[in-house]
Amino acid sequence: MKHVVVIGGGIAGMQSALSLKKRGFDVTVVEKSNRLGGKLLNWHCLFPSFTPATEVTDTLKQRIADSGVEVRLNAEVVEFDRHHVVLADGERIECDAVVLCSGFTLFDARIKEEYGYGIYDNVYTSVDIEAMLNKGRVELKNGGRPRRIAFLHCVGSRDEKVCQRHCSKVCCVTGVKQAIEMKQLFPEADVFNFYMDIRMFGPGYEEMYREAQQKYNIHFVRGRISEAAPTIDGRLQLKAEDTLTGRPLKISVDMLVLLVGMRSNDDNARFAEHSGLQCAPSGFMAPADMFLSNVASGVGGIFYAGAVTAPKSVGEVLNDGAAVAEAVTGYLG
Amino acid sequence: MNFFAPFCIPFMVGAAVMAVALVLKYVLWIWHLPRADRKLLVSGIFTVQSIKAVGEVISESLLHRRIFKVNPLLGYMHASLAFGWFLLITVGWIETIAYLGFRYVPLQGHVFFKYFATCIAEHKPVFDFLMDLLLLIVLSGVALAWGKRLYSKAMGMRRTTKHVLGDRVALSALWFIFPARLVAESLTCAIYGGGGFLTGSISSFLAEHVSGSLLAALYEPSWWFYSSMLGIFFVALPFSRYMHIFTEIPLIFLRRYQLRPREKESSYDNFEIQACSRCGICLDPCQLQSELGINDVQSVYFLRDRRYNRLKLAVANNCLMCGRCEAKCPVGINLNSLRQNSRDTMRNIPDESRYGYLASLDRSQGEGRVGYFAGCMTLLTPRTLSAMERIFAAAGEDVWWADRNGGVCCGRPLKLSGETDSAKKMMRYNKELFYKHNITTLVTSCPICLRVFRDEYALRGIEVLHHSEYILRLMRQGRLKVDAAGGRFTYHDPCELGRGCGIYDQPRAVIEAVGELLEPKHTREDSLCCGASLANTVINDAQQLRIARSMSAEFEQTGASTVVTSCPLCKKTVARGSSLPVKDLSEVVAEHLA
Amino acid sequence: MAAIDWGFSINRPRTIDIDNNNLRKSDEILREMPELQCCIGCGACTASCTAGNLTEFNFRKVHTLVRRGEYQGAYEEMNKCMLCGKCRLLCPRGINTRGVVMLIKRKLGDF
Amino acid sequence: MKRATWSEYQKDIADDKYYYARSCIRQNFFPGSEKAFLDILSKDLGKDIFDDPAHSSCTGIGYHSDIVPLETIMTVVARQFAMMTESGYENFVTSCITSFGIYTEILATWEEFPETEERTRENLYKTTGREFRKPKCLAHTSDIIFHFREDIARLAKRRLVNSGTEEPLKVVEHIGCHYAKLFPKSGIGGSEFPYVLAGMVDAWGGECVDYPERRHCCGFGFRNYLVQANRGYSVANSQKKLESMAPYHPDFIVANCPGCTMFLDKWQYTIAEMDGRTYGGNGHGIPVLTYEEMAGLVLGYDPWELGMQMHQVDVEPLLDKMGVDYDPAAKYLGRNGKFIGKPSAAVVNGCSQDFIYDIKL
């Protein structure tokens, strides 16, 4: 039986492994952390349906458990080619094909220091908010309820200044989703979303956006926040341009949420160099082509699934998992 | 003979209050009429119009001819109550005279004649019969009114008016008056004998089955009850919807003298407003009611709120002003004009500086005796514009294009919203523009503009035509030839063009010159509104769309392959609601130019 | 006392100061017509505007400023509108634009 | 204060042997400051600093006002470096933030476009016959004071505390835009959280105020000030900062840029006269200090020696708070003991208005 190693145990890795197993391959999932699920484990609800993220991760984990896929946890890959995957402890796993599902890295919001993440209280990232929602306690540092919340879109996306030119695709939708969640938790609070463009590309997203505006009275201001500064009463003063009126705008908020983008993994370049793969200018892995071979790499026997090639939504990642099995089957016969 | 008994007091008080209130109201209203209206009144009073008015009073106020047209049963109900009661009073009067000869009998003597006549031994069975018959007719009306409360559909009404408390009190009193009279008269007959086929037979039944002492005990209270019901009703009448019973009479006269509601609220409006019986006939035609379930803004509620000074802007503004209810109002109240001048009162804020930017503006082009005013909306339906261009060219007409490059709005939308004085500024601007370019004919594709050009602009020396009229004229003059290529069309009457300007036949004649015309279920005077009317600034987009979808469905049922209309706003709206292609009349003509 | 000509005055800030703006009327307007919040700033209303093609009137901008609590001059701007209704036919978000004009005027004009 | 990030922006500052370049405008508005800097360095800290009479203006104001072309200013800067080279120094220290920005920008330009450096060398040689070496270390004078802030703290005679309550003084620090906003790496603490002045305040016992408009420009803006009709913009920017800091009740403002110090001081006078608004305690303005004056006070210098009588906003309330001994009668006496003149009473110093202003709106 042909052996395929799936690098990464997030949802892309799990779905790829399941699809490959179904097609009769011997599959090993190599995950560097101590559990399967990847970044989605930290997520509370998924847009636009507000489906709990655990519904996806738990189901996939259960299916993996039932499928007979071999799972290697705490196993970090240092290098690989089509026939070998080398782990940090020096172990070499022999295989016939490799599916790289190593996903993405979250943008470190501290780099945009003008927004004060890690400097001022009550500046959070979208990831922090999901964690707080998971804990069931969203509150200010002092335990209070926010009266005014600002979301800033495109933190670490579409920003030459931090060398992240690409759009991270999901943050807009997440921003709208979290704004609604905040409004549900704090109906008395005013929520302002500061955006450059609102990109509602998927089914039900635009509808959710509209609902956020009309039903939840969330204010959308087109303009990027230039800086955050503390106020005398411990809040944050934000400056932006309200570009639709052509006027600068100043506002104090209790809570600032930065919608952090996805950036490419630092490993990508190393993997690419070792295995002869191509990286896109964004640093994400470049598939063989954008249309007909979008889960294949330029190197036979090495495949991609999920956000390792570009920022993707959960649904798209899962589709990649199914598609890669088809591509691997074509390759291994 | 003594014509007083204590039980008469409630009736006498009621009648007195009513009389004073009515006289006061009418005198004040007439006193406050605008000077021009008073002039019309004086000059009309000794003309044949007064005689015609008397005829109309009989046919409408008593016989309710127009309600008969809506629904015969509903008509009978109203007529039996109004005319029946009228006859009861008249015949009762004659009866008194027949018994007592010509002598002074106080009012209560006539009304409670049966009570006071017990001392008269002589009986005139003819009157017993007549009076019983009339009572029966009125009672049948009351029974129908009860029935209408329970099952209004039988009278062709899906919905009935929700009444205010005062109306309910008056209504209850009214319902009890005639049964109370029947009981009182029957008891009287049971004790004293007499009575016709109705009261007589009930009294014999009572005499047989009820002890004499009980009858005696019930006798006085029954008259008290009857009198009280009358008293309550009369006191309530001037302050409730029953004010319409009397008010319709002066209204008919004033209307015959050409009095109408004006741009601003005036004293005359009182006659129209208080002539509303709140019959609720205006409810069913209203598409806001039937499609959107909005049930507190219709004309009956609007008039009621205005009458009691509790009109809200949201109610005044929430109306398509499609005119469907006005066309059906049995009293012929000018509902749109009244709503219009209410909006004026609530929204008109004169501002001299407003629209100062219009001065010296002229973006028109071309030269010709015929001017074409596309209208703002037509600029969003460029097919109409190019079709008109081809039609003008085919007819060899030199045209002055007033607003092809963007002009100034005709002013009607603003007027519809109540900002009357500001709207006049736009009207003045356009009027001057028309005169400046020396046109003799003004053609417009927009019925909204047409309406205001005709009603308000007073364009002396300029003939104002809707493009449907103009095209038909060209065809009849032989200047425009179309090939009868066939095709199955259905036509939507725009509210402003049909009910607003009375133009129904011209567009139809044009369509029939090209192909077959299939009428939708609601058509001509009864046509439905597309829902996007500029008169309504309250309903939202989804609600507009719901109206558009429901009314468009009728076009599909005709089997036509194209919907034709002649209003850019209707065209855009029907196109949203319909799966059929929607074309302006001019497009159809331009496509079939021979 | 001597008179001194400075030759300049202190420029007033152009900043929209959400903290110090009185948002009461803006809130009332949005409560009465929540759909106004749906504006995505496409500008179709302003592009087609009959009055806006004759003046500086910019419906989109004025209602956005009103939503931010900037009422100064908004009533006068809205008064440039002819209420012709073209914008309502174009708004991709289905906003009752004529209703918005009337509502803003009513709220800011206090009638 | 939660500012960990400042430590990520550090630069090498030489420990000794400085070539000193003066500022054009400071010598007029804060004449004691540059002398104080030279005294602190040479007398208190025992460093070698050369105040070269042969150096010139960097022409930065002319450059930013579109009067001096880039080629010209590069050659002028090259001459400054030539003077430094000829005097045998390689650590260039400039007293002006505008100049600091100019030097930084030109050095970066030469780095990116070596051909411009070659051309400049040619131009300099052709015009003056001089040659130069680029400085090994370029620093602003505030960088130097920051560098020795602990030494100064050890030598301190006073601290930045209220002598009555021993509470730290509340200090607004303002950094000139051209210090680190052009090249964040060129300033200590970068552009978002510059630490150069805050470090001094922390070291000498004061407490910095982190107010919302902390990073905002003072409004000088060269052309905004130089053209009279544009001054309204300039003053509006200072006002924005003052309004933002006022709720924190700062005891004084310290700035490291000649223009900022001047405008934050003088615009307070203008605002007070025009609008009657003042931002400090008791209806007074907020005193504005240079970092040398601040260091001088800490080291026990006489305030009139430091030139503090030249401030628009009176510094006496601050001196009283710090417990500085001073002779009020000596305030307006020159170094030769002669009366140097006295400014008119001003609203910003708590006096009633005695002018009618014709303000064009």
Side-chain angles (χ1 to χ4, degrees):
Chain A
M1 215 188 321
K2 303 276 190 187
H3 184 211
V4 182
V5 173
V6 174
I7 300 175
I11 54 168
M14 289 195 283
Q15 183 59 53
S16 302
L18 287 169
S19 304
L20 287 162
K21 189 74 189 173
K22 224 174 228 170
R23 287 173 180 261
F25 295 108
D26 189 9
V27 186
T28 302
V29 175
V30 183
E31 165 60 37
K32 70 178 168 193
S33 79
N34 60 1
R35 54 186 188 159
L36 289 175
K39 296 199 181 57
L40 205 58
L41 290 173
N42 304 321
W43 227 248
H44 178 61
C45 276
L46 303 180
F47 59 73
S49 54
F50 294 86
T51 307
T54 47
E55 243 177 61
V56 175
T57 50
D58 288 355
T59 308
L60 287 175
K61 279 196 272 189
Q62 189 57 47
R63 285 182 189 165
I64 289 278
D66 297 344
S67 67
V69 166
E70 184 197 0
V71 177
R72 306 280 299 269
L73 296 174
N74 302 310
E76 190 174 354
V77 174
V78 287
E79 59 183 47
F80 66 90
D81 58 35
R82 73 178 81 174
H83 296 309
H84 305 94
V85 171
V86 182
L87 301 183
D89 60 8
E91 184 187 348
R92 282 167 74 88
I93 304 174
E94 304 284 324
C95 57
D96 301 293
V98 172
V99 180
L100 184 62
C101 302
S102 53
F104 63 94
T105 304
L106 276 164
F107 178 78
D108 180 2
R110 280 175 304 185
I111 296 171
K112 294 294 286 184
E113 60 184 296
E114 58 267 44
Y115 302 145
Y117 184 65
I119 298 168
Y120 306 122
D121 290 340
N122 301 315
V123 182
Y124 300 103
T125 65
S126 39
V127 183
D128 299 336
I129 295 295
E130 293 294 332
M132 287 161 100
L133 287 165
N134 267 338
K135 269 191 240 153
R137 270 177 87 86
V138 182
E139 59 187 15
L140 298 175
K141 188 75 181 286
N142 64 11
R145 290 168 71 85
R147 300 275 311 177
R148 199 184 271 161
I149 305 166
F151 281 83
L152 174 58
H153 292 234
C154 293
V155 175
S157 304
R158 306 174 69 203
D159 186 356
E160 294 270 0
K161 287 287 178 286
V162 291
C163 306
Q164 302 294 325
R165 294 184 183 181
H166 62 276
C167 165
S168 294
K169 200 171 187 179
V170 297
C171 351
C172 276
V173 204
T174 301
V176 173
K177 182 204 76 149
Q178 290 189 350
I180 291 176
E181 288 172 322
M182 288 297 119
K183 200 75 183 178
Q184 284 168 342
L185 284 172
F186 311 109
E188 74 284 5
D190 287 321
V191 179
F192 287 79
N193 279 43
F194 290 87
Y195 66 94
M196 304 202 294
D197 287 306
I198 289 279
R199 300 184 166 187
M200 293 289 143
F201 60 95
Y205 300 178
E206 179 72 10
E207 290 85 341
M208 182 175 73
Y209 173 34
R210 200 194 161 102
E211 192 174 81
Q213 294 175 308
Q214 185 160 350
K215 183 172 163 199
Y216 290 99
N217 194 25
I218 291 161
H219 306 268
F220 283 81
V221 182
R222 187 181 177 281
R224 197 182 179 102
I225 294 172
S226 65
E227 69 207 78
T231 64
I232 194 161
D233 50 359
R235 304 169 83 216
L236 291 153
Q237 180 192 283
L238 310 176
K239 286 186 186 178
E241 185 193 353
D242 183 1
T243 59
L244 293 177
T245 62
R247 298 257 307 266
L249 181 143
K250 196 167 78 175
I251 182 173
S252 302
V253 298
D254 300 306
M255 184 188 268
L256 171 62
V257 183
L258 308 175
L259 296 163
V260 286
M262 301 180 181
R263 67 177 190 85
S264 56
N265 291 337
D266 293 333
D267 296 343
N268 287 2
R270 201 179 73 237
F271 289 157
E273 200 177 346
H274 182 263
S275 316
L277 304 169
Q278 293 294 316
C279 284
S282 62
F284 286 92
M285 303 309 290
D289 90 57
M290 298 290 277
F291 305 104
L292 297 172
S293 313
N294 63 357
V295 290
S297 71
V299 177
I302 298 178
F303 298 88
Y304 303 131
V308 71
T309 50
K312 285 184 184 129
S313 70
V314 170
E316 291 167 329
V317 165
L318 295 177
N319 287 350
D320 268 13
V324 82
E326 164 79 17
V328 172
T329 309
Y331 171 72
L332 292 178
Chain B
M1 211 171 161
N2 176 25
F3 287 109
F4 181 78
F7 80 82
C8 297
I9 290 170
F11 162 77
M12 288 162 73
V13 170
V17 168
M18 177 177 78
V20 170
L22 285 180
V23 168
L24 259 180
K25 277 190 172 198
Y26 294 147
V27 167
L28 276 175
W29 293 348
I30 291 187
W31 184 260
H32 285 118
L33 278 179
R35 182 186 292 269
D37 282 354
R38 278 209 301 265
K39 248 187 194 163
L40 285 172
L41 171 63
V42 170
S43 62
I45 203 157
F46 298 111
T47 61
V48 69
Q49 291 303 331
S50 296
I51 298 159
K52 285 185 179 168
V54 172
E56 194 182 333
V57 165
I58 292 165
S59 79
E60 292 307 329
S61 303
L62 292 178
L63 299 175
H64 291 85
R65 192 180 51 91
R66 278 197 283 257
I67 303 186
F68 266 102
K69 278 197 203 158
V70 175
N71 181 285
L73 199 57
L74 194 65
Y76 173 77
M77 184 192 101
H78 283 85
S80 64
L81 282 168
F83 195 51
W85 196 358
F86 174 76
L87 287 179
L88 262 183
I89 295 165
T90 319
V91 176
W93 215 275
I94 297 166
E95 186 186 21
T96 321
I97 294 166
Y99 277 103
L100 304 174
F102 288 98
R103 53 164 286 194
Y104 170 72
V105 176
L107 194 59
Q108 73 273 19
H110 289 285
V111 173
F112 305 118
F113 185 69
K114 276 272 183 332
Y115 178 87
F116 297 114
T118 47
C119 57
I120 300 171
E122 175 201 17
H123 274 279
K124 295 187 190 293
V126 181
F127 283 106
D128 286 344
F129 172 78
L130 262 180
M131 292 299 277
D132 272 11
L133 179 66
L134 290 171
L135 187 57
L136 186 63
I137 290 171
V138 176
L139 281 169
S140 70
V142 173
L144 281 172
W146 286 346
K148 180 181 152 213
R149 288 281 126 189
L150 297 172
Y151 188 66
S152 61
K153 270 198 186 142
M155 285 172 218
M157 288 176 74
R158 282 194 300 253
R159 287 170 201 86
T160 54
T161 318
K162 296 171 291 171
H163 289 301
V164 295
L165 185 67
D167 282 352
R168 286 173 194 276
V169 170
L171 180 68
S172 310
L174 179 61
W175 280 355
F176 279 119
I177 286 171
F178 298 100
R181 176 171 175 158
L182 179 66
V183 169
E185 290 189 352
S186 299
L187 279 169
T188 310
C189 294
I191 295 168
Y192 296 97
F197 65 93
L198 192 61
T199 46
S201 31
I202 295 174
S203 66
S204 354
F205 177 84
L206 288 174
E208 265 177 50
H209 294 89
V210 181
S211 70
S213 57
L214 185 58
L215 284 178
L218 288 173
Y219 174 62
E220 279 286 327
S222 70
W223 283 102
W224 267 101
F225 184 66
Y226 175 42
S227 168
S228 304
M229 287 304 114
L230 279 170
I232 291 172
F233 181 70
F234 289 155
V235 169
L237 182 138
F239 310 103
S240 70
R241 67 194 186 108
Y242 297 100
M243 182 68 186
H244 81 273
I245 295 172
F246 293 105
T247 311
E248 196 180 353
I249 297 162
L251 176 66
I252 286 169
F253 280 87
L254 293 176
R255 205 182 277 147
R256 286 273 168 189
Y257 306 146
Q258 297 303 315
L259 271 69
R260 297 283 181 275
R262 291 174 178 270
E263 191 173 88
K264 309 273 175 192
E265 289 184 353
S266 75
S267 183
Y268 168 75
D269 297 352
N270 290 311
F271 288 99
E272 297 232 342
I273 292 164
Q274 305 209 4
C276 170
S277 67
R278 293 178 211 156
C279 64
I281 286 174
C282 55
L283 297 175
D284 281 343
C286 181
Q287 288 166 271
L288 297 181
Q289 166 76 273
S290 57
E291 303 311 326
L292 306 181
I294 297 170
N295 57 9
D296 52 358
V297 302
Q298 283 71 19
S299 293
V300 52
Y301 302 121
F302 159 74
L303 292 176
R304 178 195 68 195
D305 290 356
R306 176 159 165 190
R307 178 174 165 189
Y308 298 128
N309 282 322
R310 53 175 210 206
L311 182 60
K312 297 227 166 58
L313 197 56
V315 170
N317 279 344
N318 200 353
C319 173
L320 299 163
M321 289 209 196
C322 62
R324 280 172 56 77
C325 58
E326 191 173 287
K328 293 203 167 55
C329 176
V331 191
I333 301 172
N334 287 294
L335 299 167
N336 276 351
S337 306
L338 290 171
R339 203 180 275 264
Q340 179 73 68
N341 65 29
S342 278
R343 289 182 183 183
D344 173 87
T345 304
M346 298 171 112
R347 292 275 325 196
N348 189 46
I349 293 152
D351 179 354
E352 265 316 301
S353 63
R354 205 172 166 192
Y355 301 122
Y357 63 82
L358 298 182
S360 75
L361 194 77
D362 186 352
R363 291 189 171 188
S364 63
Q365 56 178 198
E367 251 176 67
R369 304 291 277 168
V370 173
Y372 177 70
F373 191 92
C376 301
M377 295 291 179
T378 309
L379 297 177
L380 293 179
T381 56
R383 282 200 188 95
T384 308
L385 268 183
S386 55
M388 285 310 294
E389 202 166 6
R390 286 171 62 193
I391 289 167
F392 284 131
E397 193 88 85
D398 289 330
V399 182
W400 169 72
W401 300 83
D403 61 345
R404 194 156 55 165
N405 297 323
V408 170
C409 173
C410 65
R412 180 149 173 86
L414 201 67
K415 191 181 154 75
L416 285 171
S417 79
E419 300 184 42
T420 318
D421 290 358
S422 297
K424 288 223 170 71
K425 296 195 153 197
M426 287 186 249
M427 297 183 193
R428 205 176 309 132
Y429 165 83
N430 280 319
K431 189 172 171 177
E432 281 166 14
L433 192 70
F434 299 151
Y435 281 136
K436 183 176 141 193
H437 290 273
N438 294 317
I439 54 169
T440 52
T441 306
L442 177 63
V443 181
T444 179
S445 302
C446 177
I448 305 166
C449 306
L450 179 76
R451 181 96 190 261
V452 72
F453 289 159
R454 283 196 174 162
D455 292 358
E456 313 260 343
Y457 270 53
L459 292 166
R460 253 176 234 99
I462 301 176
E463 189 187 19
V464 179
L465 295 175
H466 184 246
H467 70 329
S468 61
E469 298 173 292
Y470 175 74
I471 290 168
L472 185 65
R473 180 181 294 179
L474 291 179
M475 283 163 61
R476 296 212 165 133
Q477 288 171 342
R479 291 171 65 191
L480 200 64
K481 289 197 171 46
V482 293
D483 50 20
R488 291 156 71 81
F489 301 98
T490 181
Y491 179 70
H492 165 63
D493 285 292
C495 301
E496 296 273 43
L497 191 66
R499 284 181 293 268
C501 296
I503 298 175
Y504 298 106
D505 299 324
Q506 295 88 331
R508 286 181 167 77
V510 172
I511 296 170
E512 279 166 344
V514 176
E516 187 187 353
L517 176 64
L518 302 156
E519 294 286 355
K521 188 173 153 218
H522 290 87
T523 187
R524 299 181 70 98
E525 287 84 352
D526 195 27
S527 69
L528 295 170
C529 173
C530 69
S533 166
L534 291 177
N536 191 312
T537 48
V538 177
I539 60 170
N540 64 31
D541 191 62
Q543 290 171 313
Q544 284 191 339
L545 187 58
R546 245 150 72 199
I547 295 177
R549 288 219 167 109
S550 72
M551 60 86 65
S552 300
E554 288 191 356
F555 301 127
E556 281 147 41
Q557 284 154 13
T558 61
S561 54
T562 306
V563 183
V564 183
T565 187
S566 43
C567 166
L569 185 54
C570 293
K571 184 189 164 186
K572 277 230 165 297
T573 315
V574 175
R576 279 182 87 188
S578 172
S579 58
L580 295 175
V582 183
K583 288 181 179 165
D584 187 84
L585 185 71
S586 59
E587 290 175 60
V588 175
V589 172
E591 283 167 15
H592 292 89
L593 285 175
Chain C
M1 293 209 280
I4 289 181
D5 173 11
W6 294 86
F8 65 95
S9 60
I10 306 172
N11 291 57
R12 295 293 133 213
R14 286 184 68 244
T15 309
I16 299 171
D17 188 346
I18 300 281
D19 298 343
N20 291 316
N21 281 359
N22 184 346
L23 296 172
R24 185 178 59 84
K25 287 191 174 179
S26 148
D27 287 345
E28 282 173 12
I29 288 165
L30 287 173
R31 208 174 307 129
E32 275 194 42
M33 217 177 247
E35 65 193 66
L36 179 56
Q37 195 70 292
C38 290
C39 173
I40 46 175
C42 73
C45 49
T46 305
S48 74
C49 181
T50 303
N53 277 287
L54 304 171
T55 68
E56 295 281 299
F57 174 55
N58 182 327
F59 172 65
R60 176 194 60 70
K61 193 165 163 179
V62 175
H63 81 62
T64 310
L65 283 168
V66 167
R67 281 190 284 147
R68 309 269 186 262
E70 295 282 327
Y71 311 124
Q72 179 96 45
Y75 180 88
E76 291 72 20
E77 278 301 302
M78 285 300 186
N79 248 350
K80 291 179 182 163
C81 166
M82 299 185 180
L83 226 59
C84 74
K86 277 170 83 181
C87 48
R88 191 171 184 187
L89 280 182
L90 293 169
C91 178
R93 284 300 192 98
I95 296 169
N96 176 358
T97 50
R98 299 174 75 240
V100 170
V101 172
M102 290 174 67
L103 176 63
I104 288 178
K105 275 168 55 172
R106 179 156 62 81
K107 286 289 175 191
L108 299 187
D110 287 318
F111 58 87
Chain D
M1 210 172 302
K2 306 174 100 191
R3 282 176 307 135
T5 48
W6 77 269
S7 53
E8 287 167 24
Y9 293 92
Q10 289 296 325
K11 64 178 186 183
D12 292 330
I13 298 169
D15 291 323
D16 203 350
K17 299 195 187 308
Y18 309 105
Y19 180 85
Y20 186 57
R22 285 182 179 251
S23 147
C24 304
I25 64 173
R26 293 185 94 199
Q27 294 165 62
N28 293 309
F29 296 108
F30 303 95
S33 289
E34 295 196 327
K35 168 141 196 332
F37 178 77
L38 292 170
D39 287 350
I40 291 168
L41 239 53
S42 54
K43 293 184 186 150
D44 295 291
L45 301 170
K47 303 294 174 188
D48 173 12
I49 180 152
F50 179 47
D51 181 20
D52 184 1
H55 86 282
S56 71
S57 164
C58 75
T59 67
I61 291 178
Y63 171 65
H64 287 303
S65 311
D66 288 347
I67 295 165
V68 175
L70 181 61
E71 292 258 294
T72 310
I73 194 169
M74 279 200 204
T75 314
V76 172
V77 166
R79 182 182 171 277
Q80 306 281 67
F81 290 157
M83 303 314 291
M84 173 191 77
T85 310
E86 286 166 20
S87 337
Y89 287 85
E90 44 193 11
N91 300 323
F92 198 91
V93 182
T94 172
S95 161
C96 172
I97 287 290
T98 304
S99 303
F100 179 72
I102 292 288
Y103 295 125
T104 317
E105 182 184 343
I106 287 175
L107 286 174
T109 309
W110 288 347
E111 192 72 31
E112 293 286 330
F113 306 98
E115 69 279 8
T116 58
E117 183 182 340
E118 277 317 302
R119 215 164 38 244
T120 308
R121 283 184 187 280
E122 253 175 62
N123 289 342
L124 181 69
Y125 190 78
K126 267 192 253 167
T127 48
T128 65
R130 295 180 199 273
E131 286 176 272
F132 70 94
R133 277 197 298 277
K134 286 190 279 190
K136 203 169 98 189
C137 163
L138 173 71
H140 183 249
T141 44
S142 61
D143 291 331
I144 305 294
I145 300 283
F146 172 81
H147 193 59
F148 296 118
R149 67 192 187 283
E150 299 301 343
D151 303 81
I152 292 171
R154 270 190 297 278
L155 298 167
K157 305 244 179 350
R158 302 186 193 96
R159 286 165 54 76
L160 298 176
V161 294
N162 185 317
S163 62
T165 62
E166 286 300 315
E167 275 175 20
L169 292 179
K170 282 196 217 129
V171 186
V172 158
E173 47 88 66
H174 175 82
I175 307 294
C177 292
H178 290 193
Y179 174 67
K181 281 185 192 159
L182 303 179
F183 298 93
K185 294 274 177 209
S186 71
I188 288 160
S191 61
E192 291 298 329
F193 296 97
Y195 192 60
V196 60
L197 295 180
M200 298 178 204
V201 173
D202 285 352
W204 303 338
E207 182 186 296
C208 273
V209 172
D210 203 359
Y211 63 107
E213 298 296 349
R214 188 174 177 182
R215 291 159 200 83
H216 200 79
C217 170
C218 72
F220 178 13
F222 303 98
R223 274 160 294 195
N224 284 333
Y225 173 70
L226 293 169
V227 179
Q228 189 192 45
N230 292 349
R231 281 181 199 161
Y233 292 110
S234 182
V235 64
N237 280 287
S238 284
Q239 188 174 35
K240 187 177 192 166
K241 287 188 74 75
L242 292 162
E243 303 242 345
S244 174
M245 70 176 75
Y248 297 81
H249 306 298
D251 293 303
F252 68 95
I253 301 168
V254 60
N256 72 343
C257 169
C260 305
T261 325
M262 169 177 158
F263 281 100
L264 287 172
D265 188 35
K266 309 247 185 279
W267 282 145
Q268 288 197 63
Y269 165 82
T270 309
I271 294 165
E273 298 294 316
M274 280 184 169
D275 282 0
R277 288 216 57 187
T278 54
Y279 298 95
N282 303 325
H284 287 244
I286 307 170
V288 184
L289 271 59
T290 66
Y291 50 94
E292 292 106 326
E293 287 170 346
M294 178 169 75
L297 288 179
V298 166
L299 288 167
Y301 284 47
D302 178 73
W304 310 144
E305 285 279 312
L306 289 167
M308 293 176 86
Q309 64 274 63
M310 301 302 280
H311 289 204
Q312 190 72 58
V313 180
D314 286 344
V315 292
E316 283 90 336
L318 171 67
L319 300 178
D320 295 340
K321 214 175 278 175
M322 284 179 72
V324 176
D325 277 333
Y326 61 94
D327 177 8
K331 185 173 180 185
Y332 295 113
L333 297 182
R335 294 178 71 78
N336 54 9
K338 280 190 183 161
F339 183 60
I340 56 170
K342 187 178 178 234
S344 320
V347 177
V348 75
N349 289 323
C351 303
S352 63
Q353 191 151 349
D354 49 4
F355 289 97
I356 298 165
Y357 296 106
D358 177 17
I359 300 169
K360 286 196 184 120
L361 292 171

